Amino acid sequence: MLDNIVNGSFAGLSYGCVYAIIALGLVLTYKTSGVFNLAYGAQAFVAAVVYWDTHVRHGWPIWLAFIFAVFIISPLLGLLLDRVLFRYLRNASPTARLVTVLGLIVAIPQAVEAFWVHDSVLGDAAAVGIVPNGTVTYHPFANVALSRDDLATIIVTVIVAIALTLLFRYSAFGLRMRSVVESPRLTELAGVNSERVSMSSWILCSALAGLGGVLLGPLFPSISDVNYLTLIIAATAAAVIATLTSIPIAFGAAVLLGVVEQILYFSLPTNSTLFSGLRPALPFLLLVGALVLNPRLWRVPTIADPLIGVEPPPPEPPEASRSRFLRNGTYAFWTVVLGIIAYYLFFHAAFNWVLNATDAVILSLIFLSITVFTGIAGEVSLCMAAFAGIGACVTGQLVAQQGMSGIFAALVAAVVVAIVGIVVALPSLRLSGIYLSLVTFGFALFFDNILGPQNWMSRSGNPFQANDIPRPQLGPIDFASNKSFLVLCIVFFLIAAGLVVLIRNGTTGRYFTALRGSETAAASIGISRTRARMTMFGVSAAIAGFGGGLVVLRQQSINLEANFPAFVGLVWVVLVVTLSPRTVQGAIQAGVGFIFFQVVILNQTVPWVVNHVQPWYTMGVLPQGLFFVIFGLGAVTYAKHPEGILEYNTRKSMEKIQHRLDSWSARGDRQGDGAVATPSEAAPVGGAS
């Protein structure tokens, strides 16, 4: 046991030091820009891939590849992000900042991998360290081994931590960076160029991300964006322990986390699914614990312009402001369009298009949970995929093991997931904004690594067969066929959409609106923040869980890794929030876009796609994850249009149409008045002939 602790302590120093570099960058970014940059891991991934490509594939010397990746590419990436994106987010809402960063998490890794689309070896590429013969080991003690890569990582990290501490405490540049965050205008009155200082801080932080990415490479068997996603969680846990302010505390917490993680690796048995998942889940558990148990984070003021709270409320949805004629015309138009689509699907479409339409309807239903949580309640949850996965597992188990009808099993699963959602809400009742989102993301990753692989949850060791989970039957109606099951999913979607509209327009929706405006004022009139928060979690989780149950009934199997990974949950949030988080139409557009964008691009039966799009994939021009890049980059529009780009464009279109209709109506009134006035003007005064 003692040997395991000693070996784990020394082995964990290198991991902890890399975590520390990223944690220091997170703290530095937050202190100098007010943005909690969750895309930091993606930036580190960029540097790791560039270093591997230049040194391993193209034979550059280590020092040249290191300088190019860390001191050229990484700073240029930070400069690009600041000039194109983050400088416009300084006075944006915390939600806008978070959504934009989530878009970068989704888009950057996929965009980087697009450059290596010709190679299938990127995921199997083993990185090398920053010193020659880095795998050579030393034995300072018996049974303890330290490689040259480990020693280089430790030395570099200590130097960086000391340099950053001195920079902030004793340099004029560090003082300027802190002052720019607190008040850019006052800083400029003192003769400091706030734009230049902010740009410099982003360049420095991006260089730190690149350094951490290059140092982390040899610690993993391959270069994978998943590894760097785990890295950002571990670093975030250390930064949160430091309350996003203290560089020494963040450094110590990160090193301690790496050491404890490796001690568990050496000590826990490897033949247990639970224990094998505990070590990678440790950063997630520590992150949630730090958020929940640290009272300094419960009411930490968000770094932002003090006047940001006096912005006017968002405009009403477009359907609330258009005229009755335009509203009825819109309903009639979409009724005709949907009728034509339904006619094609049920009478002419091939079975695969019916299945794709079913997937789109189910996914739109799941996306309604994001409409409730973000669009109505104003918070961002990153665990909707986990809730849907739990609903899928419960439904599958009830149907296969208990023989329950699929419809009732999905309803029971919705209730179970609602309870799980309330349980997740309990430790986060005092949190909001980025901290609440981090708690939900921690739960999503915990589900991926601990709960999901358990045999009692997903039957991962003995997967369900198609005949184990039959389609439901309600009385004489059998939904075994694809078309009848599509009708059932549409009915359930309409019911869920009606529920969401009732919540949005009812008392609960007004409570959420009041809480978003001022929690103190809402509490003064009897609105309970705790009750509203638990309602938000419960309702959204129930919708997602029910949708997950429909996924199982549609596929007649459980595949958590393919359908409900945490990364896909991030894409869901980015897509819905970017389009329209407050409307049912936004959920529909997101569900249809997510399914059919992939289907149309990769479809082998559409001649135009086969002739014009497929060759681009064959030549390696288009990456398979192209839609992730497009959806991720679309999130940058949220800061300018927080109501969603779909709702914004709909409102503009409705205003133009309404203005044209009003112009035609006024022109008709004038012509009518003129036609009546002409005879009277021609008649003699007094009416005599």
Side-chain angles (χ1 to χ4, degrees):
M1 181 64 181
L2 181 60
D3 290 340
N4 292 334
I5 295 177
V6 174
N7 290 331
S9 299
F10 278 92
L13 285 176
S14 55
Y15 282 91
C17 286
V18 176
Y19 294 162
I21 288 180
I22 303 298
L24 295 179
L26 288 173
V27 172
L28 181 61
T29 304
Y30 189 78
K31 291 180 68 173
T32 57
S33 68
V35 176
F36 195 86
N37 187 14
L38 286 175
Y40 218 62
Q43 293 178 246
F45 176 67
V46 173
V49 172
V50 171
Y51 178 75
W52 169 81
D53 183 64
T54 53
H55 174 58
V56 176
R57 295 190 62 198
H58 293 89
W60 289 21
I62 289 179
W63 65 270
L64 182 59
F66 177 77
I67 292 176
F68 183 71
V70 176
F71 296 108
I72 297 179
I73 295 297
S74 294
L76 286 177
L77 179 60
L79 176 63
L80 176 66
L81 294 177
D82 175 70
R83 295 294 90 187
V84 174
L85 184 60
F86 285 116
R87 68 170 176 166
Y88 301 108
L89 294 178
R90 291 172 188 166
N91 295 326
S93 66
T95 303
R97 297 177 183 177
L98 174 61
V99 171
T100 304
V101 170
L102 291 178
L104 294 178
I105 295 177
V106 172
I108 289 179
Q110 297 295 328
V112 170
E113 292 179 359
F115 287 98
W116 284 268
V117 71
H118 295 283
D119 304 312
S120 60
V121 299
L122 181 57
D124 301 323
V128 296
I130 62 174
V131 293
N133 300 320
T135 57
V136 174
T137 58
Y138 303 99
H139 298 273
F141 304 100
N143 299 325
V144 174
L146 281 177
S147 67
R148 298 184 68 179
D149 286 335
D150 294 333
L151 293 175
T153 300
I154 295 171
I155 293 172
V156 170
T157 303
V158 172
I159 294 175
V160 169
I162 295 175
L164 289 179
T165 303
L166 295 177
L167 175 70
F168 267 89
R169 288 189 178 182
Y170 302 108
S171 72
F173 181 69
L175 178 62
R176 290 172 183 172
M177 286 194 294
R178 286 181 291 168
S179 63
V180 164
V181 177
E182 295 180 1
S183 178
R185 295 178 178 86
L186 289 178
T187 305
E188 290 177 351
L189 291 177
V192 177
N193 189 328
S194 60
E195 286 282 336
R196 185 178 302 171
V197 172
S198 179
M199 179 181 65
S200 302
S201 66
W202 272 104
I203 292 175
L204 175 61
C205 295
S206 187
L208 287 177
L211 177 61
V214 171
L215 293 177
L216 184 69
L219 302 181
F220 286 106
S222 63
I223 302 175
S224 170
D225 58 319
V226 176
N227 294 334
Y228 287 87
L229 181 63
T230 306
L231 166 69
I232 196 62
I233 294 300
T236 299
V240 167
I241 292 175
T243 62
L244 305 179
T245 56
S246 175
I247 290 179
I249 295 178
F251 176 83
V255 173
L256 181 61
L257 174 59
V259 170
V260 173
E261 190 177 34
Q262 289 302 303
I263 290 176
L264 292 178
Y265 175 79
F266 281 95
S267 302
L268 295 178
T270 58
N271 57 353
S272 170
T273 304
L274 177 63
F275 287 124
S276 61
L278 180 59
R279 183 181 67 87
L282 179 63
F284 319 141
L285 299 176
L286 185 61
L287 172 62
V288 174
L291 289 167
V292 172
L293 301 178
N294 191 347
R296 295 180 60 186
L297 296 175
W298 295 348
R299 290 293 183 268
V300 172
T302 303
I303 298 178
D305 192 327
L307 297 179
I308 195 172
V310 301
E311 290 183 350
E316 293 183 345
E319 61 266 19
S321 58
R322 59 193 176 193
S323 65
R324 178 180 298 180
F325 174 79
L326 191 56
R327 185 184 303 113
N328 294 336
T330 303
Y331 291 156
F333 171 78
W334 283 111
T335 300
V336 172
V337 171
L338 294 176
I340 295 174
I341 295 174
Y343 172 77
Y344 172 77
L345 287 174
F346 287 102
F347 295 100
H348 295 282
F351 78 97
N352 59 315
W353 285 104
V354 176
L355 293 178
N356 293 330
T358 305
D359 292 336
V361 172
I362 296 174
L363 199 58
S364 299
L365 190 152
I366 295 176
F367 287 171
L368 289 175
S369 63
I370 303 175
T371 303
V372 172
F373 206 99
T374 302
I376 300 177
E379 297 287 356
V380 177
S381 172
L382 304 179
C383 64
M384 291 307 173
F387 288 151
I390 296 173
C393 293
V394 173
T395 302
Q397 295 282 8
L398 290 177
V399 174
Q401 303 292 342
Q402 306 300 324
M404 185 179 295
S405 171
I407 296 176
F408 295 106
L411 292 173
V412 172
V415 175
V416 172
V417 179
I419 296 173
V420 174
I422 294 174
V423 172
V424 174
L426 291 176
S428 60
L429 291 176
R430 297 177 180 270
L431 301 173
S432 60
I434 180 65
Y435 305 115
L436 175 64
S437 300
L438 289 175
V439 168
T440 58
F441 192 45
F443 175 76
L445 294 172
F446 177 75
F447 176 78
D448 274 4
N449 290 271
I450 295 293
L451 295 181
Q454 298 301 316
N455 192 59
W456 56 266
M457 173 66 73
S458 61
R459 285 272 297 268
S460 57
N462 184 21
F464 290 109
Q465 303 299 321
N467 56 354
D468 294 335
I469 309 178
R471 294 273 177 83
Q473 182 173 351
L474 187 61
I477 306 176
D478 190 359
F479 296 100
S481 69
N482 293 328
K483 293 181 180 179
S484 61
F485 188 72
L486 172 59
V487 173
L488 179 66
C489 292
I490 292 174
V491 171
F492 281 131
F493 172 80
L494 293 176
I495 295 174
L499 175 63
V500 171
V501 172
L502 289 175
I503 293 175
R504 185 187 65 192
N505 299 335
T507 304
T508 303
R510 298 182 185 277
Y511 283 174
F512 285 135
T513 302
L515 288 170
R516 292 171 67 175
S518 173
E519 292 184 5
T520 304
S524 67
I525 59 175
I527 298 177
S528 172
R529 180 177 184 269
T530 300
R531 187 183 301 113
R533 176 66 59 83
M534 296 178 70
T535 301
M536 172 180 66
F537 267 92
V539 172
S540 60
I543 295 174
F546 186 79
L550 292 181
V551 171
V552 168
L553 297 177
R554 149 52 183 108
Q555 299 179 350
Q556 298 183 276
S557 63
I558 298 177
N559 193 339
L560 296 180
E561 185 177 355
N563 295 320
F564 310 111
F567 175 78
V568 172
L570 297 182
V571 179
W572 291 357
V573 173
V574 170
L575 183 57
V576 175
V577 172
T578 300
L579 289 176
S580 178
R582 299 190 300 170
T583 63
V584 174
Q585 295 92 323
I588 297 174
Q589 294 273 7
V592 173
F594 189 88
I595 296 297
F596 282 93
F597 188 93
Q598 305 173 64
V599 171
V600 171
I601 292 297
L602 301 178
N603 198 304
Q604 300 288 341
T605 62
V606 179
W608 185 88
V609 174
V610 173
N611 295 329
H612 296 86
V613 179
Q614 292 288 334
W616 290 72
Y617 281 96
T618 304
M619 293 184 297
V621 178
L622 295 179
Q624 295 291 325
L626 174 66
F627 68 104
F628 284 134
V629 178
I630 295 175
F631 294 159
L633 294 179
V636 301
T637 64
Y638 183 78
K640 187 175 181 180
H641 306 296
E643 73 274 27
I645 193 66
L646 172 65
E647 188 175 333
Y648 171 79
N649 289 328
T650 301
R651 176 177 292 103
K652 291 298 181 183
S653 300
M654 292 297 103
E655 289 176 355
K656 291 180 180 178
I657 295 174
Q658 188 65 53
H659 177 72
R660 184 164 298 179
L661 291 176
D662 293 341
S663 299
W664 289 347
S665 177
R667 186 183 305 170
D669 292 340
R670 289 194 298 268
Q671 291 176 354
D673 293 341
V676 173
T678 301
S680 63
E681 293 173 356
V685 177
S689 57

